[in-house]
Amino acid sequence: DHPDRAGRLNNLGNKLGSRYERTGQMGDLDNASKHLQEAWNCGAAVPFHRIKPATRCLQLFARLCGGPNTDVIISSAIQLGKDVIKLLPTQFIIKTFAGVAADLCAFYLESRNLDDALLYLKKGRAVILGQLVDTRSDISSLVRQYPGHVRRYEELRDEINRPVQTGKQDVAERLMLKRRREAVAELERCIEGIRSIPGQEQFLQGQTIAQMQECAVHGSIIIINLTTFRSNAIIVTATTIKALNLPKLGRRSDRLQKNKEYLDFLSWLWQACVQAVLDVVLATHSSSDLPRIWWIGTGLATSMPFHAAGTHSVNSTDNLYSRAVSSYASSIKALAYAHSRAKATDRTKGTLLMATMSTTPGSPKPPDLPGVAKEKQKILDITGRHLLTESIDQPSVNRLIERLPHCSIAHFASPEQDRLTVQMVSELSLTHARLAYLSACSTAENKAPQLIDEVIHVVSGFQVAGFPHIVGCLWPSNDRVCVEVASGFYTTLLGKGEMRWHNDDVAAALLKAVNMVRENERSMSLNWAQFVHYGP
């Protein structure tokens, strides 16, 4: 079990897989998957060198389904996926796991095991965000009460990720390999030991099914799992969990630059996915109010604009803007954290922090953005009657970080919000935070394709920092539309003349504001489809 063997087998499996792509020879596909699985089984190798071939092997298993041994292949794929995700808490290089959870979910759904499909999908996605949330909750209490357990866990995790120097077939190398296997076993025992501590039973386990359903008390959580193998919606409510097959939903680019192309894309998304999901939701919805839906895209569906799906011609109601109040969540765990933060800050009275950047810094001739000034004045006119405001123009990042702990609403009207990194914001711990409105740029876009399952963007950073509600954009917006949507949003949200609002009010206010713009320019989808709400 030489630690370099995994790399050699991975290379061989990839070569055979590439030859299969060119020739279509099933023998190459079968042998490729066998060698990649052998690479995963090399226990002495660094985890990174085992995970890469395992991830590729899951993709090849999907190609093998449909033949005479489909049941055996699905069983093997499920076991492999479970073993890989089990290793996830010990790994630094999260991007290596991209797609594993979505593929495993697809195999579980193929075997009609819905509960495990959901559990492993949640366990293997949004790991970085989940760890950041955990540092504010259960793991932080573990560190305070049992620092020795945490220290031992971190020492063993670091040890098994450390490369083993190889090349000499001597006693020292054999002892290092022996110690590597011992460390892996010790780490498993360490994790089990922590889980035996009262209150830490779910350490690195993710939520239970019941805990997930608690987050859907006032609506439905819709998880869209899109892989090369199959496409499904998992519909989670307070009382039921259902799976819906979506055979028409496949990978299709949403990076479209023309309004007509994007309208066609939104119509396709409605027909291939959202309409069928909505039919299931409405079948059990008895209220006269629009149903609440929280969307979570996984795998290839991570960036799809489900909230805007439909036909947007005049008088058409075959679109989600007319039929439901949509929000997004990075994960169900993140949604649960947002619920807890919303409850904790429900009676908070603070200020509005208005931060504007009307020019783009760093450019020889920074373009003036007059819409930013108009947006600022409009919002101050609306909010000034209801709460104290603090306005800062052209602020430095340090200045923004300094002032955020003092506000309950933060509004950023700036094309340069990317200067506020996820790490900077997530390191804050904000006790008064209620709402962050991130206007103008692509604050809800994941710009790291290798971390497609991690949902890392500025919005998620603000969530971790303590803002339960965030309004963001999937792509940069038109100046005029930014002013109209923001002013409509605050007019609706603060229309009662006070800072107290129900969770549903935030998403409903954004929906109303966007619909006002959409009604007058339905053919200009790139102007209004980018606004999204994250939160309870």
Side-chain angles (χ1 to χ4, degrees):
D1 196 11
H2 194 280
D4 290 344
R5 187 166 182 264
R8 305 290 192 273
L9 288 167
N10 179 47
N11 291 339
L12 177 57
N14 283 328
K15 292 290 186 184
L16 289 168
S18 297
R19 191 165 74 181
Y20 162 76
E21 297 287 352
R22 294 194 308 272
T23 66
Q25 292 293 321
M26 292 302 296
D28 285 339
L29 180 60
D30 189 50
N31 288 327
S33 62
K34 288 178 181 177
H35 291 311
L36 292 170
Q37 196 162 15
E38 287 175 8
W40 160 256
N41 290 330
C42 293
V46 176
F48 173 74
H49 293 147
R50 298 176 61 207
I51 296 163
K52 285 179 65 178
T55 302
R56 176 61 175 153
C57 186
L58 282 174
Q59 296 168 353
L60 295 185
F61 275 150
R63 298 284 190 92
L64 288 166
C65 285
N69 298 318
T70 293
D71 290 345
V72 175
I73 291 165
I74 290 175
S75 178
S76 299
I78 287 174
Q79 187 58 54
L80 176 60
K82 287 171 59 178
D83 291 343
V84 173
I85 287 180
K86 184 179 179 181
L87 198 61
L88 188 52
T90 73
Q91 257 300 295
F92 291 123
I93 309 174
I94 302 295
K95 67 181 182 181
T96 313
F97 290 84
V100 171
D103 286 336
L104 179 56
C105 175
F107 282 115
Y108 265 125
L109 290 174
E110 185 72 13
S111 65
R112 295 178 175 80
N113 189 335
L114 179 54
D115 282 2
D116 281 341
L118 184 56
L119 284 171
Y120 278 96
L121 186 62
K122 296 298 99 188
K123 192 179 292 188
R125 281 190 72 258
V127 176
I128 296 172
L129 187 62
Q131 290 173 348
L132 290 172
V133 167
D134 283 342
T135 62
R136 311 298 173 96
S137 49
D138 43 294
I139 287 184
S140 59
S141 65
L142 179 65
V143 171
R144 290 193 301 271
Q145 298 176 34
Y146 302 94
H149 288 71
V150 175
R151 186 165 53 250
R152 183 57 178 157
Y153 162 74
E154 291 175 342
E155 288 172 352
L156 290 167
R157 180 197 62 190
D158 295 350
E159 183 178 352
I160 70 169
N161 279 279
R162 195 175 300 126
V164 174
Q165 298 297 323
T166 61
K168 296 181 180 179
Q169 300 293 330
D170 55 16
V171 174
E173 181 177 311
R174 288 195 294 274
L175 289 175
M176 282 191 294
L177 296 178
K178 180 174 180 289
R179 176 56 201 156
R180 166 61 59 79
R181 288 188 285 269
E182 291 173 348
V184 170
E186 287 177 27
L187 180 61
E188 291 181 0
R189 290 195 294 272
C190 177
I191 292 173
E192 290 303 317
I194 292 174
R195 288 174 182 163
S196 68
I197 298 171
Q200 297 297 331
E201 294 84 358
Q202 291 299 117
F203 178 70
L204 302 177
Q205 291 271 55
Q207 298 162 293
T208 64
I209 293 292
Q211 288 170 333
M212 294 181 197
Q213 290 185 281
E214 287 176 9
C215 295
V217 169
H218 300 294
S220 302
I221 299 171
I222 311 296
I223 302 163
I224 304 297
N225 192 56
L226 174 57
T227 70
T228 57
F229 177 32
R230 60 181 290 152
S231 303
N232 291 89
I234 300 177
I235 302 171
V236 181
T237 71
T239 57
T240 62
I241 298 176
K242 297 179 181 179
L244 180 65
N245 191 26
L246 300 171
K248 296 179 181 178
L249 184 65
R251 187 171 188 176
R252 181 168 169 173
S253 174
D254 60 351
R255 306 283 180 173
L256 304 171
Q257 303 298 318
K258 296 182 179 180
N259 282 296
K260 186 179 185 309
E261 292 175 343
Y262 206 76
L263 285 170
D264 290 342
F265 172 75
L266 294 178
S267 177
W268 166 81
L269 187 58
W270 172 260
Q271 295 169 28
C273 172
V274 174
Q275 184 177 27
V277 170
L278 184 62
D279 287 344
V280 174
V281 171
L282 292 176
T284 56
H285 181 71
S286 56
S287 170
S288 59
D289 295 331
L290 295 178
R292 278 299 305 276
I293 295 177
W294 288 272
W295 296 95
I296 300 175
T298 70
L300 303 174
T302 301
S303 61
M304 286 186 169
F306 303 105
H307 69 287
T311 302
H312 297 281
S313 55
V314 176
N315 296 326
S316 173
T317 59
D318 286 337
N319 56 76
L320 209 57
Y321 282 120
S322 304
R323 310 279 290 279
V325 179
S326 289
S327 298
Y328 285 85
S330 304
S331 67
I332 299 183
K333 176 183 279 190
L335 182 58
Y337 179 64
H339 271 291
S340 68
R341 292 298 307 143
K343 185 177 181 180
T345 60
D346 182 50
R347 298 183 180 275
T348 297
K349 293 184 178 180
T351 62
L352 164 71
L353 174 65
M354 167 64 70
T356 57
M357 187 79 69
S358 58
T359 59
T360 305
S363 172
K365 294 182 179 180
D368 189 39
L369 297 174
V372 171
K374 290 180 181 178
E375 182 175 342
K376 170 187 172 182
Q377 192 56 52
K378 272 272 193 183
I379 293 167
L380 292 179
D381 289 345
I382 296 166
T383 60
R385 299 189 298 272
H386 308 298
L387 67 162
L388 297 174
T389 60
E390 176 185 5
S391 180
I392 49 178
D393 296 324
Q394 305 290 122
S396 65
V397 169
N398 289 338
R399 177 68 171 157
L400 291 174
I401 295 297
E402 175 192 335
R403 298 314 303 164
L404 276 172
H406 303 282
C407 72
S408 56
I409 300 178
H411 187 101
F412 290 80
S414 164
E416 288 295 310
Q417 289 157 27
D418 284 348
R419 296 187 305 144
L420 273 177
T421 66
V422 177
Q423 180 178 355
M424 289 176 187
V425 178
S426 63
E427 287 175 350
L428 297 172
S429 183
L430 307 175
T431 56
H432 303 297
R434 296 192 68 194
L435 165 67
Y437 193 115
L438 311 178
S439 181
C441 67
S442 46
T443 46
E445 178 188 10
N446 186 347
K447 297 183 179 181
Q450 305 95 331
L451 294 172
I452 190 170
D453 285 335
E454 287 306 300
V455 206
I456 299 297
H457 41 55
V458 177
V459 163
S460 57
F462 272 84
Q463 277 193 315
V464 173
F467 282 96
H469 295 279
I470 303 99
V471 175
C473 294
L474 296 175
W475 59 81
S477 186
N478 174 290
D479 261 12
R480 173 186 57 79
V481 173
C482 279
V483 176
E484 292 179 13
V485 172
S487 59
F489 171 78
Y490 285 109
T491 297
T492 300
L493 186 64
L494 302 178
K496 298 176 183 178
E498 56 184 17
M499 273 287 291
R500 296 183 65 182
W501 62 68
H502 189 272
N503 279 335
D504 290 345
D505 294 339
V506 182
L510 181 64
L511 174 65
K512 183 176 179 180
V514 172
N515 267 334
M516 289 174 66
V517 174
R518 187 178 70 97
E519 190 61 35
N520 295 321
E521 43 191 286
R522 286 177 175 253
S523 63
M524 306 292 286
S525 56
L526 295 175
N527 279 358
W528 41 258
Q530 66 270 50
F531 295 94
V532 292
H533 169 255
Y534 275 72

